[in-house]
Amino acid sequence: AENNYYIDGVSVRGQASRMTAGTINIATAGAYVSTGLTATFDSSTAQGMTLGTTDLFALKNTSGATKLLRFYASLDATAGNNHVLGIKLAKNGTPIDETECRAYSASGNAIAKLATNWMISMAANDEVSVRIANISDTTTINFQRGRIVAAEVRS
């Protein structure tokens, strides 16, 4: 059969990244919080999405329609020796537990590589953001680099 998946137009998509370091203060061990950092939106590849407006490390559906999107996000971060760090995606500020991944931050400030992906249905103006946690304690997280990418799932 012929592939007609994209016959009705261009798919919704967007991506944003931050490649400069930042500090994320942690008030509660295990609590997933916004990075509080501003990502740079890649307008050259975007269609129907913008940088988040509630969270500046997020993607917002501006297509005007409900869309199913596959999200990928990753962060490189450290909190010193023997700290478990975590990543989750959040929709309109509500963390999505199924997206949680964890990694160790080790001695010598070895960087934890955190990554997640998930399919999320987004209504018009919904936002999906990257959240981070220090599972171990309230030690500050040193953000190194990160990104969030979304592409429409078509059927």
Side-chain angles (χ1 to χ4, degrees), residues 72-102:
Y72 168 83
S74 68
L75 299 174
D76 294 355
T78 184
N81 192 32
N82 292 328
H83 287 91
V84 178
L85 304 183
I87 187 174
K88 279 187 186 180
L89 296 173
K91 180 178 172 183
N92 298 325
T94 302
I96 302 168
D97 291 340
E98 294 86 352
T99 66
E100 183 180 39
C101 286
R102 295 179 179 187

CSV table of all heavy atoms in Angstrom, one decimal, residues 72-102:
chain,number,residue,atom,x,y,z
A,72,TYR,N,11.0,13.6,23.2
A,72,TYR,CA,12.3,13.1,23.7
A,72,TYR,C,12.9,14.2,24.5
A,72,TYR,O,12.9,15.4,24.0
A,72,TYR,CB,13.2,12.7,22.6
A,72,TYR,CG,14.6,12.4,23.0
A,72,TYR,CD1,15.0,11.2,23.6
A,72,TYR,CD2,15.6,13.4,22.9
A,72,TYR,CE1,16.3,11.0,24.0
A,72,TYR,CE2,16.9,13.2,23.4
A,72,TYR,CZ,17.2,12.0,23.9
A,72,TYR,OH,18.5,11.8,24.4
A,73,ALA,N,13.4,14.0,25.6
A,73,ALA,CA,14.2,15.0,26.4
A,73,ALA,C,15.4,14.4,27.1
A,73,ALA,O,15.3,13.2,27.5
A,73,ALA,CB,13.3,15.6,27.5
A,74,SER,N,16.4,15.1,27.2
A,74,SER,CA,17.6,14.6,27.9
A,74,SER,C,18.3,15.8,28.6
A,74,SER,O,18.2,17.0,28.1
A,74,SER,CB,18.6,13.9,26.9
A,74,SER,OG,19.2,14.8,26.0
A,75,LEU,N,18.9,15.5,29.7
A,75,LEU,CA,19.7,16.5,30.5
A,75,LEU,C,21.0,15.8,30.9
A,75,LEU,O,21.0,14.7,31.3
A,75,LEU,CB,18.9,16.9,31.7
A,75,LEU,CG,17.5,17.5,31.6
A,75,LEU,CD1,16.9,17.7,33.0
A,75,LEU,CD2,17.6,18.8,30.9
A,76,ASP,N,22.0,16.6,30.9
A,76,ASP,CA,23.3,16.3,31.5
A,76,ASP,C,23.4,17.1,32.8
A,76,ASP,O,23.4,18.4,32.7
A,76,ASP,CB,24.5,16.5,30.6
A,76,ASP,CG,24.5,15.7,29.4
A,76,ASP,OD1,23.6,14.8,29.3
A,76,ASP,OD2,25.3,15.9,28.5
A,77,ALA,N,23.6,16.5,33.9
A,77,ALA,CA,23.6,17.3,35.2
A,77,ALA,C,24.4,16.5,36.2
A,77,ALA,O,24.7,15.3,36.1
A,77,ALA,CB,22.2,17.5,35.7
A,78,THR,N,24.8,17.2,37.3
A,78,THR,CA,25.6,16.6,38.4
A,78,THR,C,25.2,17.3,39.7
A,78,THR,O,24.7,18.4,39.7
A,78,THR,CB,27.1,16.8,38.1
A,78,THR,OG1,27.8,16.1,39.2
A,78,THR,CG2,27.6,18.2,38.1
A,79,ALA,N,25.4,16.5,40.8
A,79,ALA,CA,25.1,17.0,42.1
A,79,ALA,C,26.2,16.5,43.1
A,79,ALA,O,26.0,16.5,44.3
A,79,ALA,CB,23.7,16.7,42.6
A,80,GLY,N,27.3,16.1,42.5
A,80,GLY,CA,28.4,15.5,43.3
A,80,GLY,C,28.3,14.0,43.5
A,80,GLY,O,27.5,13.4,42.8
A,81,ASN,N,29.1,13.5,44.4
A,81,ASN,CA,29.2,12.1,44.6
A,81,ASN,C,27.9,11.4,45.2
A,81,ASN,O,27.4,11.9,46.1
A,81,ASN,CB,30.4,11.8,45.5
A,81,ASN,CG,30.8,10.3,45.5
A,81,ASN,OD1,30.6,9.6,44.5
A,81,ASN,ND2,31.3,9.8,46.6
A,82,ASN,N,27.6,10.3,44.6
A,82,ASN,CA,26.5,9.4,45.1
A,82,ASN,C,25.2,10.1,45.2
A,82,ASN,O,24.5,9.9,46.2
A,82,ASN,CB,26.9,8.8,46.4
A,82,ASN,CG,28.0,7.8,46.2
A,82,ASN,OD1,28.2,7.1,45.2
A,82,ASN,ND2,28.9,7.7,47.2
A,83,HIS,N,24.7,10.8,44.2
A,83,HIS,CA,23.4,11.4,44.2
A,83,HIS,C,22.6,10.8,43.0
A,83,HIS,O,23.2,10.7,41.9
A,83,HIS,CB,23.5,12.9,44.0
A,83,HIS,CG,23.9,13.6,45.2
A,83,HIS,ND1,25.2,13.9,45.4
A,83,HIS,CD2,23.2,14.1,46.3
A,83,HIS,CE1,25.3,14.6,46.6
A,83,HIS,NE2,24.1,14.7,47.1
A,84,VAL,N,21.4,10.4,43.3
A,84,VAL,CA,20.5,9.9,42.2
A,84,VAL,C,19.7,11.1,41.7
A,84,VAL,O,19.0,11.7,42.5
A,84,VAL,CB,19.6,8.8,42.7
A,84,VAL,CG1,18.7,8.3,41.6
A,84,VAL,CG2,20.4,7.6,43.3
A,85,LEU,N,19.9,11.4,40.4
A,85,LEU,CA,19.1,12.4,39.8
A,85,LEU,C,18.0,11.8,38.9
A,85,LEU,O,18.1,10.7,38.5
A,85,LEU,CB,20.0,13.3,39.0
A,85,LEU,CG,21.2,13.9,39.7
A,85,LEU,CD1,21.9,14.9,38.7
A,85,LEU,CD2,20.7,14.7,40.9
A,86,GLY,N,16.9,12.5,38.7
A,86,GLY,CA,15.8,12.0,37.9
A,86,GLY,C,15.3,13.1,36.9
A,86,GLY,O,15.5,14.3,37.1
A,87,ILE,N,14.7,12.6,35.8
A,87,ILE,CA,14.1,13.4,34.8
A,87,ILE,C,12.7,12.9,34.6
A,87,ILE,O,12.4,11.7,34.7
A,87,ILE,CB,14.9,13.3,33.5
A,87,ILE,CG1,14.3,14.3,32.5
A,87,ILE,CG2,14.9,11.9,32.9
A,87,ILE,CD1,15.2,14.4,31.2
A,88,LYS,N,11.8,13.8,34.3
A,88,LYS,CA,10.4,13.5,34.0
A,88,LYS,C,9.9,14.6,33.0
A,88,LYS,O,10.4,15.7,33.0
A,88,LYS,CB,9.4,13.5,35.2
A,88,LYS,CG,9.4,12.3,36.0
A,88,LYS,CD,8.2,12.4,37.1
A,88,LYS,CE,8.3,11.3,38.1
A,88,LYS,NZ,7.2,11.4,39.1
A,89,LEU,N,8.9,14.2,32.2
A,89,LEU,CA,8.2,15.2,31.4
A,89,LEU,C,7.0,15.6,32.2
A,89,LEU,O,6.5,14.8,33.0
A,89,LEU,CB,7.8,14.6,30.1
A,89,LEU,CG,8.9,14.2,29.1
A,89,LEU,CD1,8.3,13.5,27.9
A,89,LEU,CD2,9.7,15.5,28.7
A,90,ALA,N,6.5,16.8,32.0
A,90,ALA,CA,5.3,17.3,32.7
A,90,ALA,C,4.4,18.0,31.6
A,90,ALA,O,4.9,18.7,30.8
A,90,ALA,CB,5.6,18.3,33.8
A,91,LYS,N,3.1,17.7,31.7
A,91,LYS,CA,2.1,18.3,30.8
A,91,LYS,C,1.3,19.4,31.6
A,91,LYS,O,0.7,19.0,32.6
A,91,LYS,CB,1.2,17.3,30.3
A,91,LYS,CG,0.1,17.8,29.3
A,91,LYS,CD,-0.8,16.7,28.8
A,91,LYS,CE,-1.9,17.2,28.0
A,91,LYS,NZ,-2.8,16.1,27.6
A,92,ASN,N,1.4,20.6,31.2
A,92,ASN,CA,0.8,21.7,31.8
A,92,ASN,C,1.1,21.7,33.3
A,92,ASN,O,0.3,22.0,34.2
A,92,ASN,CB,-0.7,21.7,31.6
A,92,ASN,CG,-1.1,21.8,30.2
A,92,ASN,OD1,-0.4,22.5,29.4
A,92,ASN,ND2,-2.1,21.1,29.7
A,93,GLY,N,2.4,21.4,33.7
A,93,GLY,CA,2.9,21.5,35.0
A,93,GLY,C,2.7,20.2,35.8
A,93,GLY,O,3.2,20.1,37.0
A,94,THR,N,1.9,19.2,35.3
A,94,THR,CA,1.7,18.0,36.0
A,94,THR,C,2.7,16.9,35.6
A,94,THR,O,2.6,16.5,34.4
A,94,THR,CB,0.3,17.5,35.8
A,94,THR,OG1,-0.6,18.5,36.3
A,94,THR,CG2,0.0,16.2,36.6
A,95,PRO,N,3.6,16.5,36.4
A,95,PRO,CA,4.5,15.4,36.0
A,95,PRO,C,3.9,14.2,35.5
A,95,PRO,O,2.8,13.8,36.1
A,95,PRO,CB,5.4,15.2,37.3
A,95,PRO,CG,5.2,16.4,38.1
A,95,PRO,CD,3.8,16.9,37.8
A,96,ILE,N,4.5,13.6,34.5
A,96,ILE,CA,4.0,12.3,34.0
A,96,ILE,C,4.9,11.2,34.5
A,96,ILE,O,6.0,11.0,34.1
A,96,ILE,CB,4.0,12.3,32.4
A,96,ILE,CG1,3.1,13.5,31.9
A,96,ILE,CG2,3.5,11.0,31.9
A,96,ILE,CD1,3.3,13.8,30.4
A,97,ASP,N,4.4,10.4,35.5
A,97,ASP,CA,5.2,9.5,36.2
A,97,ASP,C,5.8,8.4,35.3
A,97,ASP,O,7.0,8.0,35.5
A,97,ASP,CB,4.4,8.7,37.3
A,97,ASP,CG,4.1,9.7,38.5
A,97,ASP,OD1,4.7,10.7,38.6
A,97,ASP,OD2,3.1,9.4,39.2
A,98,GLU,N,5.1,8.0,34.2
A,98,GLU,CA,5.7,7.0,33.3
A,98,GLU,C,6.9,7.4,32.6
A,98,GLU,O,7.6,6.6,32.0
A,98,GLU,CB,4.6,6.6,32.3
A,98,GLU,CG,3.4,5.9,32.9
A,98,GLU,CD,2.3,6.9,33.4
A,98,GLU,OE1,2.6,8.1,33.4
A,98,GLU,OE2,1.2,6.4,33.8
A,99,THR,N,7.2,8.7,32.6
A,99,THR,CA,8.4,9.2,31.9
A,99,THR,C,9.6,9.3,32.7
A,99,THR,O,10.7,9.7,32.3
A,99,THR,CB,8.1,10.6,31.3
A,99,THR,OG1,7.9,11.5,32.3
A,99,THR,CG2,6.9,10.6,30.4
A,100,GLU,N,9.6,8.9,34.0
A,100,GLU,CA,10.7,9.0,34.9
A,100,GLU,C,11.9,8.1,34.5
A,100,GLU,O,11.7,6.9,34.2
A,100,GLU,CB,10.3,8.7,36.3
A,100,GLU,CG,11.4,8.9,37.3
A,100,GLU,CD,11.0,8.5,38.7
A,100,GLU,OE1,10.3,7.5,38.9
A,100,GLU,OE2,11.5,9.2,39.6
A,101,CYS,N,13.1,8.7,34.5
A,101,CYS,CA,14.3,7.9,34.4
A,101,CYS,C,15.3,8.5,35.4
A,101,CYS,O,15.2,9.7,35.7
A,101,CYS,CB,14.9,8.1,33.0
A,101,CYS,SG,14.0,7.1,31.7
A,102,ARG,N,16.2,7.7,35.9
A,102,ARG,CA,17.1,8.1,36.9
A,102,ARG,C,18.5,7.7,36.5
A,102,ARG,O,18.7,6.7,35.8
A,102,ARG,CB,16.8,7.4,38.3
A,102,ARG,CG,15.5,7.9,38.8
A,102,ARG,CD,15.2,7.2,40.2
A,102,ARG,NE,13.9,7.6,40.7
A,102,ARG,CZ,13.5,7.3,41.9
A,102,ARG,NH1,14.2,6.5,42.7
A,102,ARG,NH2,12.3,7.7,42.4
